[in-house]
Amino acid sequence: MFNAARITANLKSVQDRIVAAVRRAGRKPDDVKLVAVTKYVDVAVAGALVAAGCRDLGESRPQELWEKAELFASSDMPVNWHLIGHLQRNKAAKTVPLTSLIHSGDSLRILQAIDEAAKTSSRRAGVLLEINISGDATKHGFALEEIEPALSKIASMPNIDVRGLMAMASREGDLDQARTEFAKLRELRDYLRTAAPAKVHLDELSMGMSGDFEVAIEEGATIVRVGSALFEGAIDA
Ligand SMILES: *Cc1c(COP(=O)(O)O)cnc(C)c1O
């Protein structure tokens, strides 16, 4: 069971905090999009978020995204799906047609598979390039020094639209560290903009989760990916 009124209230509270952070940063509310991360909850709870006005939902596992997207497709609720976690190549064909933005473009190999999947399904695939901003070898993403030389190869993939960069802060709960890493992603983006082929657009910065989305907005996030803050007190254990 879950409490739909609490979910609506949580969504409002997160949206208000986004607007406050946007104002502090001297930016415009339309500059920042909320992706509600539904990986912890079932499709009924996700539906309560959509009913409360949230149109962008994110999943970190491709199979979960497939299952929820299929259930929503038959419900006529309009949802833009975001894949925010690692994609395996053998799952690209099924994921690309269901997804409006893949945040986890984390290697040339997966981008090639996404490009082929887009071609096969006669569509274009929107992707973000995931950067391993902390340099932690256990994390996915392009290393800082890998991304610039990769851009010309990425630009030559005809069915991919690069829209920006994505990263995760290295440690939860350390806001100073998160701020440093988010600023680093923004600076990398600003630098790559001067170096990137014209076809590669880097407007979007997907960074910030429940614990650090306000800091991310102050550092330039255009997309925040928020999960647990939306479900606090709303789900029975
Ligand atoms: C789970 C997840 C989130 C949301 O995390 P919360 O702390 O629950 O808001 C954001 N981004 C990615 C990549 C995730 O896997």
Side-chain angles (χ1 to χ4, degrees):
M1 279 304 292
F2 67 97
N3 180 337
R6 181 69 193 262
I7 286 179
T8 305
N10 287 351
L11 175 63
K12 173 83 170 59
S13 154
V14 167
Q15 286 167 335
D16 288 349
R17 288 169 59 193
I18 289 173
V19 169
V22 162
R23 295 236 164 87
R24 277 200 299 283
R27 303 175 58 202
K28 294 189 294 281
D30 285 354
D31 291 352
V32 179
K33 174 185 280 186
L34 169 65
V35 171
V37 176
T38 50
K39 67 187 182 193
Y40 316 101
V41 298
D42 64 20
V43 71
V45 178
L49 272 173
V50 177
C54 198
R55 288 289 171 267
D56 288 272
L57 302 186
E59 282 288 333
S60 55
R61 293 174 160 194
Q63 273 118 321
E64 271 290 315
L65 188 151
W66 303 345
E67 281 170 29
K68 286 200 180 86
E70 274 160 23
L71 289 165
F72 271 98
S74 57
S75 80
D76 77 32
M77 283 190 187
V79 175
N80 302 317
W81 284 101
H82 297 249
L83 182 72
I84 61 172
H86 181 63
L87 178 62
Q88 297 81 12
R89 286 191 303 159
N90 62 357
K91 298 192 178 124
K94 182 145 185 192
T95 302
V96 164
L98 297 171
T99 313
S100 74
L101 186 62
I102 296 175
H103 295 226
S104 44
D106 56 17
S107 69
L108 282 173
R109 276 159 58 90
I110 194 61
L111 290 167
Q112 267 147 8
I114 292 169
D115 183 47
E116 275 164 37
K119 181 169 187 232
T120 308
S121 58
S122 308
R123 63 180 66 226
R124 307 193 56 75
V127 298
L128 304 180
L129 306 177
E130 182 173 351
I131 308 295
N132 184 353
I133 204 77
S134 64
D136 177 343
T138 64
K139 298 231 164 90
H140 290 293
F142 286 93
L144 285 170
E145 67 278 6
E146 264 176 358
I147 188 67
E148 185 180 356
L151 287 179
S152 61
K153 281 207 191 82
I154 297 168
S156 73
M157 298 177 187
N159 309 290
I160 281 191
D161 292 326
V162 176
R163 304 210 185 120
L165 304 182
M166 179 272 210
M168 313 224 301
S170 52
R171 270 179 300 163
E172 246 178 274
D174 185 340
L175 286 182
D176 290 335
Q177 175 79 14
R179 186 182 294 281
T180 305
E181 289 171 351
F182 294 151
K184 205 156 130 190
L185 190 71
R186 184 193 64 236
E187 284 156 18
L188 174 68
R189 189 277 305 272
D190 293 347
Y191 166 72
L192 290 177
R193 265 182 170 164
T194 66
K199 185 176 169 275
V200 173
H201 296 280
L202 296 172
D203 297 330
E204 306 289 354
L205 284 178
S206 170
M207 55 188 196
M209 326 199 317
S210 291
D212 54 23
F213 69 86
E214 288 149 309
V215 169
I217 290 168
E218 290 168 12
E219 296 303 329
T222 64
I223 304 176
V224 292
R225 312 176 307 266
V226 177
S228 34
L230 296 169
F231 307 113
E232 266 165 30
I235 315 284
D236 288 348

Coordinates of all heavy atoms in Angstrom, one line a residue, residues 37 39-40 60 84 166 168 209-210 225-228, ligand 1:
V37 N 12.8 9.2 -10.2 CA 13.4 7.9 -10.3 C 12.5 6.9 -9.5 O 12.3 7.0 -8.3 CB 14.8 7.9 -9.7 CG1 15.4 6.5 -9.7 CG2 15.7 8.9 -10.5
K39 N 12.8 3.5 -9.4 CA 13.4 2.2 -9.3 C 13.0 1.5 -8.0 O 13.1 0.3 -7.9 CB 14.9 2.2 -9.4 CG 15.6 3.0 -8.3 CD 17.1 3.1 -8.7 CE 17.8 3.9 -7.5 NZ 19.1 4.3 -7.9
Y40 N 12.6 2.2 -7.0 CA 12.3 1.6 -5.7 C 10.8 1.2 -5.6 O 10.5 0.6 -4.6 CB 12.5 2.6 -4.5 CG 13.8 3.4 -4.6 CD1 13.8 4.8 -5.0 CD2 15.0 2.9 -4.1 CE1 15.0 5.5 -5.1 CE2 16.2 3.6 -4.2 CZ 16.1 4.9 -4.6 OH 17.3 5.7 -4.7
S60 N 16.9 2.7 -13.4 CA 18.3 2.4 -13.6 C 18.5 1.1 -14.3 O 19.6 0.9 -14.8 CB 19.1 2.6 -12.3 OG 18.5 1.7 -11.3
I84 N 18.7 5.7 -16.6 CA 19.8 6.4 -15.9 C 20.9 5.5 -15.4 O 21.9 5.9 -14.9 CB 19.2 7.2 -14.6 CG1 18.5 6.2 -13.7 CG2 18.2 8.2 -15.1 CD1 18.1 6.8 -12.4
M166 N 26.3 13.6 -18.1 CA 25.7 13.1 -16.9 C 26.8 12.6 -16.0 O 27.9 12.1 -16.4 CB 24.8 11.9 -17.2 CG 24.1 11.3 -16.1 SD 25.0 9.9 -15.3 CE 23.7 8.9 -14.6
M168 N 27.5 11.2 -11.5 CA 27.1 11.0 -10.2 C 28.2 11.5 -9.2 O 29.4 11.3 -9.5 CB 26.8 9.5 -9.9 CG 26.0 8.9 -11.0 SD 24.7 7.8 -10.3 CE 25.6 6.6 -9.4
M209 N 20.9 14.1 -7.1 CA 19.9 13.1 -6.6 C 19.3 13.7 -5.3 O 19.5 14.8 -5.0 CB 20.6 11.8 -6.4 CG 21.7 11.5 -7.4 SD 22.3 9.8 -7.7 CE 22.3 9.1 -6.1
S210 N 18.5 12.8 -4.6 CA 17.8 13.3 -3.4 C 18.7 14.1 -2.5 O 18.3 15.1 -1.9 CB 17.2 12.2 -2.7 OG 16.1 11.6 -3.4
R225 N 17.9 14.0 -11.0 CA 17.3 12.6 -10.9 C 17.0 12.3 -9.5 O 17.9 12.0 -8.7 CB 18.3 11.6 -11.5 CG 18.9 12.0 -12.8 CD 19.9 11.0 -13.3 NE 20.9 10.7 -12.3 CZ 22.1 11.4 -12.2 NH1 22.4 12.3 -13.1 NH2 22.9 11.1 -11.2
V226 N 15.7 12.4 -9.1 CA 15.4 12.3 -7.7 C 14.5 11.1 -7.4 O 13.4 11.0 -8.1 CB 14.7 13.6 -7.2 CG1 14.3 13.5 -5.7 CG2 15.6 14.8 -7.4
G227 N 14.9 10.3 -6.5 CA 14.1 9.1 -6.2 C 13.5 9.2 -4.7 O 12.4 9.6 -4.5
S228 N 14.4 8.8 -3.8 CA 13.9 8.5 -2.4 C 13.2 9.7 -1.8 O 12.2 9.5 -1.1 CB 15.0 8.1 -1.5 OG 16.3 8.7 -1.9
Ligands
LIG1 C1 18.9 5.7 -7.8 C2 19.5 6.8 -8.7 C3 19.1 8.1 -8.5 C4 18.1 8.6 -7.4 O1 18.7 8.4 -6.2 P1 18.0 9.0 -4.9 O2 19.1 9.3 -3.9 O3 17.0 8.0 -4.4 O4 17.3 10.3 -5.2 C5 19.7 9.0 -9.4 N1 20.5 8.7 -10.3 C6 20.9 7.4 -10.5 C7 21.9 7.1 -11.6 C8 20.4 6.4 -9.7 O5 20.8 5.1 -9.9

